[in-house]
Amino acid sequence: MRAVPGRVPEHAFDAGANTLRPRYAARGTAPLELFAPARRFPGGFALRCDGKPVAAAPGPVVTLRCGRGRGERLVELAPAP
């Protein structure tokens, strides 16, 4: 993770599945920034926000807005199916 718009009470990375799952308490509307290098995701990645698919431009830095305003969010970054 590069930038989180709030506090991160939980951050999990499953190396076997190559999946990142940060849970954070948003304190505003700033975007979340994740680092998704091509060497880790050579076939692309799938992104979910609170269980729902999210479209994001490919690149080493993924910027997204998850939800609106304050509240707890769960993001999942995984290899593309």
Side-chain angles (χ1 to χ4, degrees):
M1 291 186 301
R2 286 179 34 119
V4 179
R7 186 178 57 82
V8 180
E10 183 180 354
H11 174 266
F13 180 72
D14 182 336
N18 200 28
T19 302
L20 173 68
R21 287 184 191 93
R23 183 172 59 87
Y24 69 98
R27 293 186 180 152
T29 59
L32 173 69
E33 291 183 2
L34 302 173
F35 186 56
R39 70 179 186 276
R40 176 143 323 260
F41 301 99
F45 57 83
L47 189 59
R48 298 178 78 76
C49 167
D50 294 333
K52 298 174 186 167
V54 176
V61 177
V62 178
T63 302
L64 72 135
R65 293 186 192 283
C66 184
R68 294 181 183 211
R70 295 177 178 261
E72 190 169 286
R73 311 280 187 260
L74 177 63
V75 175
E76 181 178 273
L77 177 67

